[in-house]
Amino acid sequence: QVQLVESGGGSVQAGGSLRLSCVASTRTWRTTVMGWFRQAPGKEREFVALSDWSEEHTRIANSVKDRFTMSGDNAKNTMYLQMSSLKPEDTAVYYCAAGSTLSETDYHYWGQGTQVTVSS
């Protein structure tokens, strides 16, 4: 069983930055691709970004494309989501997920989430 643990969430003012981390307990063929998602109160979960571990294939949602980037550290089994120029509408619980395809929906494992709150 693969465990994913997110960290790095917190409260920040609009315009600020945060870096989220997601550590995978192990890597298998089912964790070839890592994704980030978010869910705001009263809204459905939405895709934010995905990448394979080589970072050869990376995809960022249009809504955050100019402000968020995704990167990884293979040696630490860790994927990062760097968020800049944060806006109040970025407030949500952010989840990382692991899967085996470059999909915005199909993932095998999910983390517990980390809260990001952006104040105006």
Side-chain angles (χ1 to χ4, degrees):
Q1 183 73 8
V2 175
Q3 292 184 330
L4 304 176
V5 180
E6 304 101 330
S7 62
S11 297
V12 64
Q13 289 192 327
S17 299
L18 283 173
R19 188 178 78 162
L20 305 183
S21 301
C22 175
V23 180
S25 61
T26 188
R27 284 169 57 181
T28 72
W29 67 270
R30 291 167 66 90
T31 64
T32 303
V33 175
M34 301 295 288
W36 284 99
F37 295 79
R38 67 185 182 185
Q39 187 167 20
K43 295 188 176 181
E44 293 188 352
R45 185 173 63 200
E46 67 170 330
F47 165 78
V48 176
L50 65 81
S51 179
D52 58 11
W53 285 97
S54 69
E55 299 179 48
E56 182 178 350
H57 301 95
T58 300
R59 189 181 306 161
I60 309 292
N62 287 335
S63 59
V64 300
K65 196 171 187 177
D66 297 329
R67 302 182 293 118
F68 291 12
T69 58
M70 190 169 173
S71 62
D73 186 331
N74 283 274
K76 296 181 179 180
N77 283 0
T78 301
M79 273 290 188
Y80 303 102
L81 182 69
Q82 178 68 49
M83 307 184 295
S84 304
S85 302
L86 284 162
K87 305 175 181 180
E89 51 264 43
D90 294 319
T91 295
V93 177
Y94 284 71
Y95 299 90
C96 75
S100 51
T101 62
L102 295 170
S103 168
E104 296 181 11
T105 56
D106 298 330
Y107 285 82
H108 303 301
Y109 307 104
W110 292 84
Q112 82 289 350
T114 185
Q115 177 71 47
V116 170
T117 303
V118 184
S119 58
S120 58

